[in-house]
Amino acid sequence: MDVVYYLIQNMLPIGVPLLLVALGGMFSERSGIINIALEGIMLFGAFFGALFVLLVQGSSMGPQTILLIGMLVAGISGLIYSLLLSFASINMKANQVIVGTALNMLIPAMILLFSKMFFSSDGITTSKSFYIREIPILSKIPIIGELFFQRTYLTVIIGFIILAISVVVLYKTRFGLRLRACGEHPHAADSVGINVYKMRYAGVSISGVLAGIGGFFYAVGVMDGNVSGHTGVAGFGFLALAVMIFGQWKPIRIMFAAMFFAFLRTLAYSVSLIPFLFDLGIDQTYYKILPYLATMLVLALTSKNSRAPKAEGIPYDKSQR
Amino acid sequence: MQGNNNADKLKFNIKNITSHSGFKSLGAALMAIFLGLVVGFIIMLVARPENAIAGFRFVLLGGMGRLGDVLYFATPILMTGLAVGFAFKMGLFNIGASGQYTMGMFFALYVAFNWDLPGSTHWIVAIFAGFVGGMIWGFIPGIFKALLNVNEVITSIMFNYIGMYLVDMWIQNNGVMYNSSLTRTRYIASGVQIPALGIAGSNVNLGIIIAIIIAVILYIVLEKTTFGYELKATGHNKHAAEYAGMQGKRNIILTMTIAGGMAGIGGAFAILAPSAIAGSSMTYEPINIIAANGFTGIAVALLGNAHPLGTILSATFISYIQRGGTLTSLVGFKPEIIDIVVAVIIYFSAFAMIMNSAIARFIKARLGKDDEKPLQETDSENEENTVEDEEVIKKETEKEAE
Amino acid sequence: STGDNGTDGGSDGYEIALITDKGNIDDKSFNQGAWEGVVEFAGANDISHTYIKPEEASDAGYLAAIDLAVQGGAEVVVTPGFLFEVPIYEAQTAYPDVKFILLDGAPHTADYSVFETKDNVASIFYAEEESGFLAGYAAVMDGMTDLGFMGGMAVPAVQAFGYGFLQGAEYAADDLGLADGEVEVTYHYTGNFDENDTNKATASTMYQEGVEVIFAAGGSVGKSVMSAASEADGKVIGVDVDQRYDSETVITSATKGLAASVISVLESIYNDNWETYSGKSTYFNATNDGVGLPTEVLGEEGGDAFDRFESFDLAAYDEIFAELSAGNIELLRQIEVADATGYATADELTEALGLEKVDVTTR
Amino acid sequence: MENYIVEMLNITKEFPGIIANDNITLKLKKGEIHALLGENGAGKSTLMSVLFGLYQSEKGEIRKNGKKVTINNPNDANELGIGMVHQHFKLVEVFTVLENIILGVEPVENGLLELEESKEKIIELSEQYGLKVSPDALIEDISVGMQQRVEILKMLYKDNEILIFDEPTAVLTPQEIIELLQIMKDLAAEGKSILFITHKLNEIMDVADRCTVLRKGKYIGTVDIESTTKEELSRMMVGRDISFDVDKEDREPGDVILSIKNMTVASKTHKNNAVRDVSLDVRAGEIVCIAGIDGNGQSEFVYGLTGLEKLVSGTITLRGKDISKASIRERSASGMSHIPEDRHKHGLVLDYKLEENLILQRYWQPKFQKNHFIKFNEMRDYAEDLIERFDIRSGQGPTTMARSMSGGNQQKAIIAREIDKEHELLVAVQPTRGLDVGAIEYIHSQLVESRDAGKAVLLISLELDEVMNVSDRILVLYEGEIVGELDPEETTTQELGLYMAGAKRDTEKETRHAGE
Ligand SMILES: Nc1ncnc2c1ncn2[C@@H]1O[C@H](COP(=O)(O)OP(=O)(O)OP(=O)(O)O)[C@@H](O)[C@H]1O
Ligand SMILES: Nc1ncnc2c1ncn2[C@@H]1O[C@H](COP(=O)(O)OP(=O)(O)OP(=O)(O)O)[C@@H](O)[C@H]1O
Ligand SMILES: [Mg+2]
Ligand SMILES: [Mg+2]
């Protein structure tokens, strides 16, 4: 039983960044823009979030306050960076995949250059611990308390709150309805007076915010508040894309997909805790490959009937009917 | 009337030049390069104003004194550039050049260490092995795309990781290849190293010549053969290709396989390069890092407009500014400045075409101002050109749709 | 080589240049230690200095970086790590007027047929096994019986730390009269020197299994281990430099005087007694205070560097350190390892290091 | 001075290379049904898009109730009470009817969507005007006619008083058309003003009060329907008298070339098969036409026949050879030519040159390649030959980019390619779609010529006139089944319409006979 708690407690801080970034991808694609730049945006957000932590860690601010403000900083940074994608793919009608690739390449180089020139480092190392041993009261709830409110990070709770908000925004609000319309049939949206460009800016910007936050949460929950231009976010942005597809562009499914991968990943590194796996004596490398291979398998099985937003990837051009 | 005629001529000429597609992509590339360099300079200016000029001079001219190295470092990225570009022609985005490159390198290494062949052929066989290794790693995303309808971007990213982990494991578990106390592969025999071209101070070798020959062959395949015809047709319009009885699935797999092979050869070229130090060689360190040359290949391909011959130029160019970028260390900058410049170039090249035609239209509008006349009377050729202008934009936007 | 641009564009250049190996100068390891030494010395004496990252991680690439540094005006070139052994062998002949400080290595040809350290080269080695020994000894003496070792890659320096650690634990268990197998050590190489979630998860898993302290001997791997430790209330033993300032969880560090040794050599160059190090290999070990556990707390006059131990203290440390520097304890730095990865099996470790009290599991 | 609710004065709208609207004036009275008539490409949709704010005109002004207004986007139009049912529906397929209707004017309570009231309003409206829809159905699940009702409800929901219908009847069955026209009359009676675009003169004569005619982007005139005739309207539209008859002599059909037995093809959009158990024969020297309303399985039938889609069951025999499982290439090589329905999707590689497109079906033949190397000289010569023989007009001859050619000439290129290719069977799918009268005449003559040369021709068409005039034999496809076989000489458009609408069908036996 301990092992199960352990696996889940360790899965959550890894699953939450994936969840948030995949939700970001979902908002972007639901508006019609393929956001392959998630990896870069994550790193951008993580960098500025960590930079903020670095600047204030000496002050008397409590770690959770710093985390919350850092989250805002990361979200805003992500938003700003995502504007580069919006501008190119919405206004300039550029190829979204190429622009995304450029943005992914740009940011590690930026971080390395900046960090090397100013910190003589590959990134930012902070010294604030955001870990929460247990959250008062909530942690006492049987089972749930131990799973979600002990040995955790604030990021986990925020992640699930954002998930709930995402569901409401996407399905219950005017904005969500319009956003989905733009990703499916922008001409229809346009013909009822919805500004497709604006909605797409909104979709990409939300993805920027979420990816920025996701990046920062990755730094907090996985990298102890540190960011390196070298290891970046270890392909989490790309994994998030796969998670989003696996989740069929739907928030709750995305949550399950994200947790599935996070679980595999955690499992892969905790093999020694599970005697029957450990006794197999399989090379660790295979376990490292497992999440990627599982992604491929799942995609292979689901891709045939996967249903992406119809208009995604196609620049919107009013004059084309 | 006389004046009008003159203006007409001028207008006509400009249209003619600007609407020529070769000019357009070159113009777009130059534009993107220009903007990339400007951004690089601005960053240098902000970071270290007192050295910015000196640093920028290195970026621009530093490669001059190191032409051998320029070609040497251009070799693998030319191959990965071809890998990305070739697939691009078919409308496939091969972001997996990295994994294919690593796989090719491993196969080449394997042959280098484990096969006993005479020096005169050993390196050739090893390059060929690299080709095979890369092909396998291109074949897989091809299969996933063609038979299972999984987006090749996702597959190739996943297989970048899988390939990297596998190769690192295989190498570490192989005592013949791996020197654990140096955490890298052992030196390969000089017989497996590609013969150097003998340019002093650089390891530039036959690889660059072979790479250029391969680029030319790819050009011929694309432009002169039925396979190239099918491939490009599929890239432009896969429905029409299917309608014409082309075997789309087979072609997807074939294209990805060949593309992978190109990247694989790139990996072989990199690892089989000769060393200026006697008894030494290139080595590979299995530390779970995705090969950067694969990603640089994307930049090379995009800048070269996926055209094999253009790719030769773009690979050389990127290598050139990288060499200059290294020298900026001497005035307090870091070579990453070049990665930034390259990323910015790609960013702009994604829509430089559109930007350019907007500018061209603006120029035309300026020049054509005083001879405005009812449109229905414009001669047909002029009209054709205007339409074509639009077409370029449309073509681009349609590509994105895929 | 060509590269004239190196001199004409580069103002007056830098006098001391450090060439990094694959990592950056904040790698919590060779690069960082050496760079700190360079900065401290050059800063104090107002000498221009820089570091250069090679374009390519190969012998030829390292040599090219040295070329670049020299063309940029370097008079002293510091090269951290054994990867520079072959390039320095070439460079020492090519640039007889330049002085080279080679850490953790001695110049030789690629095929190891010729070892030659010319007069313009100082080759420096460290006795990591002694440092590791002290760490292992301290941990067990302090009452811990469940230990972990997380090395980076199985390079000689890391292996020496690990083997020393095991021998130290065994030695202490012996001193305490523990039963056979009463001390358990989980022994692991991460295969990299990075901070990443794999390493953190591995450390977390160890703590979850009951490991009390992990000796993190792999550059930035330490960051991941410290992160896992702070979550799990575990403890960490740092490496190379005193890492107590990086995290509350670090109880001590198995240091080697990277910066100090670089400063010593630089001093010899600038104070005209280069011959102390010139043309030979110098070992930094317990005898010359080259390795050890930290005994002082920075900026704290009389601070207790052992305050994070339960019972182990400066006095106990001084005692064992004296033993060590007196040469009373024989330590193995290297053992026979069958596997290509350089990862010793539990049996190999037990056998070769003569472990009885210590029960090793590898991972 | 008459009281107009909307006046569009001197509207000019250009697209690159074409003036779609050239100084056009149109005035709409309150409560009238005003028809807009013109050939394909005359500029009708463009003019309406200007009124609806989708396009901005370069010149001219729009007035509402005598006051000048600017309409920059559909929002402006909506505020002025202008609504539009587009030629191509603008509905989000994965949304419900309700969601589509409220899109853009969503009722919100406390920041969240509140749909109950809207639902009631929609049910009310649909009862009031006899527009039966169920608000919770997904668009992708409902019929085209139903989708159109949703479009109309969209306008009514927004209380629009000026309603634009762009070719609403093109996609409807005759019965649905009658219903729609009635609804339009009711709406006009309630005081709504309607602009109605159609190509069908009967409909105009039926419901419209006045009619404005456009030709090639120019304004021709506005007439009162009371005082005009169909003939006059059609003369205004094309500028000359037109006859839709095709010159063709009777021919005795020869051997069976194509024989389809019990063909069933799956649907991509729904679970039922799109083509069910279809059997038919086509003989040498006859033009067999498959008639039917759009969406009754025509596309899938063609996909199955030409190999673009796998069959669920059934056999296809071409000249005695079973090709049911043959690849597209094999079918083509065995003598099947195919003029596809969508020339941009299937027919052409728009970014290839004309000459490259002309060898699209033949580049692999020895004539055009040797050892996999394309013979460029052969290609050029061949292209020049076809261009000459089929009068394909383009800017730079063989080297023209297909994309820069006009629709009619693109179609000519395809027809040249398919007809010149060695073939026994010509499958022509809506070959005249979107083309003007001249081009249509040309294509019809080519089909007939092909028949006269002893080829079997299978024509799939949605146009009743084309069906009646060109074919030797008509098969009607309804909901994926052949429901009747008719002789164009002996049947009437009305009867054909009944078959197409599924209101009438041959008995089992007769249908079976059609396939033998
Ligand atoms: N967005 C556009 N860009 C360029 N040309 C256009 C555009 N829209 C329409 N056209 C051209 O303008 C002309 C008028 O088109 P429009 O759609 O208004 O014709 P229409 O009268 O509605 O024809 P149809 O009966 O076929 O619907 C055509 O030649 C068409 O090709
Ligand atoms: N949506 C569009 N975007 C850009 N150009 C267009 C568009 N539609 C049409 N054109 C261009 O406008 C011109 C007229 O097109 P259209 O199809 O209306 O030709 P047409 O006058 O009807 O000739 P044809 O009788 O051959 O069909 C062509 O050059 C065509 O390429
Ligand atoms: Mg129209
Ligand atoms: Mg037309």
Side-chain angles (χ1 to χ4, degrees), chain D residues 124-193:
Chain D
E124 225 166 80
L125 279 172
S126 65
E127 274 164 14
Q128 185 183 346
Y129 294 100
L131 296 157
K132 284 159 282 173
V133 292
S134 82
D136 294 323
L138 287 179
I139 296 297
E140 60 187 359
D141 293 337
I142 63 179
S143 72
V144 175
M146 190 102 85
Q147 290 179 10
Q148 187 171 62
R149 277 177 240 151
V150 177
E151 284 282 20
I152 298 170
L153 276 171
K154 244 161 101 176
M155 297 192 297
L156 298 176
Y157 181 84
K158 292 172 193 166
D159 299 320
N160 289 327
E161 44 175 357
I162 298 146
L163 313 180
I164 306 168
F165 287 86
D166 193 351
E167 292 195 40
T169 58
V171 291
L172 300 184
T173 64
Q175 282 66 29
E176 284 173 323
I177 292 174
I178 293 167
E179 283 175 39
L180 175 68
L181 297 181
Q182 187 55 49
I183 290 168
M184 284 168 60
K185 280 187 207 162
D186 293 349
L187 287 168
E190 297 230 345
K192 311 266 183 201
S193 315

Side-chain angles (χ1 to χ4, degrees), chain D residues 228-268:
Chain D
T228 191
T229 62
K230 280 205 304 192
E231 286 67 31
E232 172 163 5
L233 282 177
S234 63
R235 218 174 3 255
M236 286 175 77
M237 177 164 74
V238 254
R240 61 180 162 97
D241 290 317
I242 40 166
S243 101
F244 288 107
D245 290 336
V246 176
D247 270 344
K248 85 177 203 263
E249 286 153 27
D250 282 348
R251 281 288 154 101
E252 205 40 51
D255 300 337
V256 172
I257 300 290
L258 172 73
S259 173
I260 298 177
K261 295 256 180 295
N262 310 102
M263 178 164 98
T264 298
V265 186
S267 162
K268 282 210 167 126

Side-chain angles (χ1 to χ4, degrees), chain C residues 27 116 142 147 201 246 267 350:
Chain C
D27 66 350
E116 188 193 2
D142 199 48
L147 318 181
D246 291 350
E267 270 169 353
T350 311

Side-chain angles (χ1 to χ4, degrees), chain A residues 27-33 90 96 170 174-204 309-317, chain D residues 91-92 94-95 100 103 106:
Chain A
F27 275 107
S28 179
E29 298 213 355
R30 281 291 184 117
S31 81
I33 305 285
I90 301 170
Q96 296 164 13
L170 193 65
R174 168 188 293 181
F175 172 79
L177 189 76
R178 294 183 170 192
L179 188 86
R180 285 183 284 141
C182 289
E184 287 291 333
H185 196 332
H187 293 275
D190 197 359
S191 77
V192 292
I194 296 170
N195 186 330
V196 177
Y197 298 128
K198 259 195 209 156
M199 293 309 290
R200 290 193 165 180
Y201 259 97
V204 176
K310 223 185 217 156
E312 75 169 15
I314 308 164
Y316 179 62
D317 188 347
Chain D
L91 296 171
V92 182
V94 294
F95 279 12
N100 267 289
L103 190 63
E106 305 86 351

Side-chain angles (χ1 to χ4, degrees), chain A residues 269-284:
Chain A
Y269 303 137
S270 319
V271 168
S272 56
L273 285 179
I274 301 157
F276 85 91
L277 283 181
F278 188 61
D279 292 344
L280 294 178
I282 296 169
D283 195 308
Q284 269 254 332

Side-chain angles (χ1 to χ4, degrees), chain A residues 39-110:
Chain A
E39 176 95 357
I41 302 174
M42 273 182 87
L43 193 49
F44 196 81
F47 180 76
F48 283 97
L51 192 61
F52 170 77
V53 176
L54 185 74
L55 294 177
V56 302
Q57 63 188 10
S59 74
S60 58
M61 236 185 271
Q64 306 312 330
T65 319
I66 294 183
L67 188 146
L68 286 174
I69 303 177
M71 177 182 98
L72 285 183
V73 171
I76 293 168
S77 319
L79 187 150
I80 292 170
Y81 196 54
S82 75
L83 290 177
L84 285 174
L85 173 66
S86 308
F87 171 72
S89 54
I90 301 170
N91 299 83
M92 302 307 283
K93 308 200 186 334
N95 183 317
Q96 296 164 13
V97 177
I98 295 177
V99 171
T101 306
L103 294 181
N104 284 339
M105 293 170 82
L106 181 62
I107 197 62
M110 284 275 213

